[in-house]
Amino acid sequence: MEKSVKTTIKKWGINGEGIAYIKGKPVFIDGAIPGELVEFSVAEEKEKYEIGKLENVIQPSNLRHSRPCQVQECQGCSLMHVNYKGQCKMKEAILKQTLAKYAGYTKKIAPIIKNERVLGYRNSCKLPVKMVDQVIRIGMYQNRSNQFVPLPRCIVHQKNLEIVRQEIESLMNQFHLKEYDSKTKTGIRTLVLKEFEEKVQVIFVTGDMDLEESFIQEVSQLKPVGSIWQSIKTDSSIDIFGKTMRHLAKDKDMKIHLHQYTLNLLPRSFYQLNTRQAVVLYDYVQSLVRPCRFIVEAYSGIGAMSLMVSSKAKRVLGIEVIEDAVINANQNARNNHLEHVSFVCDDAANAFLKIRDKVECLIVDPPRSGLDSSMRQAILKKKPSQLIYISCNPSTLAKNLKELKQVYHIVSVQPFDMFSQTQHVETVCLLEKKK
């Protein structure tokens, strides 16, 4: 057994862990908070750093509190042991450190806009299905491992999402369903659930198989369920869904009301995972946009942001690579009688470079990997006068800003807490073209 070492935690790590230094070497310790005196053992030793296992908290921080969830094994909520004030301080500190380190930005960052609901806020989940002791269970994989952890209950899920998840797990066992078998290419791989306005969309990701009609009938009888789909996936690609999508029961899409707008959402389409806080973020972005002739939104999803800013321009164009989302987005523009708003299905950089008209405002909301090289180059070439960058990853945001600063200066940085109990922080950064 490794010998325990006493140390004081010096700062936060980007994944919510505490960082100590032993002989100048950083040690990353999950569950530790800056300022605490702790005991840890070395779990993993690397050339330039160590991973420590927290053994004992000798002097706890005043930011520490009792975890409201006792399922620690899933490791899905890295800040569950930190009170909400401490969580917000951590996110502000990480954003500030990261922007200074990679983008050289040391000016003011606005105080984080807090989440109204710190529990029960998440509207979507994509959870693997496995057999545990001959019983089918829905759960998660531990961080950085393939260790499956069943979830008896998740307190960050919205109420109906969690009710339906538990009921479906029970029904899967009643109907003797099995986990996916790569040899026979049958069985259940993943359960995807989305809840909007108290209705839940259910998507079974399975092998090449038919689900029993009586099973689907039972699922459709669950009161919150408003839509049931099946996705056939037999390959090992990173995409959660397979190429074949089957509508099994109830409505084809979900409806979301966003102020005066109504949005439709198909299974493959993405919407922000915190519905209430998404509205706050959209309102904020809308307030930043100057009235102009032409706005482009890249990575536009189902078009929520484009609809929100539609009153600010004579023309709005959204660019999205997921076909279902583009179908939804154009339908949403038509349904809301916004003839000057349209969407194209294409790679962001490719579509952006094709635009001949002058783009005054560009809004980007890329995935965690940030803007790819071709999109960064496209922005630097076309130089829209106003650039609004919505980011879910401070590191890629900061690295992208370093390059974009060739043409732009940073006007404001506004963090949002979208994902309470986790280390993730959403940031809206306003940039304007240098004169």
Side-chain angles (χ1 to χ4, degrees), residues 370-388:
L371 302 170
D372 62 24
S373 176
S374 57
M375 188 57 180
R376 297 195 302 271
Q377 291 305 309
I379 293 170
L380 294 173
K381 181 178 180 180
K382 295 190 74 73
K383 301 181 180 66
S385 55
Q386 191 178 41
L387 172 61
I388 300 172

Side-chain angles (χ1 to χ4, degrees), residues 283-351:
D283 283 341
Y284 175 76
V285 172
Q286 197 261 4
S287 74
L288 297 178
V289 177
R290 292 193 299 264
C292 61
R293 285 169 296 180
F294 190 15
I295 298 170
V296 171
E297 183 194 3
Y299 317 95
S300 54
I302 62 170
M305 180 61 72
S306 291
L307 269 59
M308 283 288 290
V309 302
S310 62
S311 64
K312 294 289 188 84
K314 292 183 178 178
R315 182 186 173 200
V316 180
L317 177 68
I319 305 168
E320 171 59 54
V321 75
I322 297 173
E323 189 176 359
D324 273 8
V326 176
I327 292 168
N328 275 155
N330 279 311
Q331 180 186 10
N332 292 333
R334 287 192 300 272
N335 291 349
N336 289 281
H337 312 292
L338 298 171
E339 294 179 1
H340 66 301
V341 180
S342 61
F343 300 86
V344 294
C345 186
D346 202 345
D347 169 74
N350 190 46

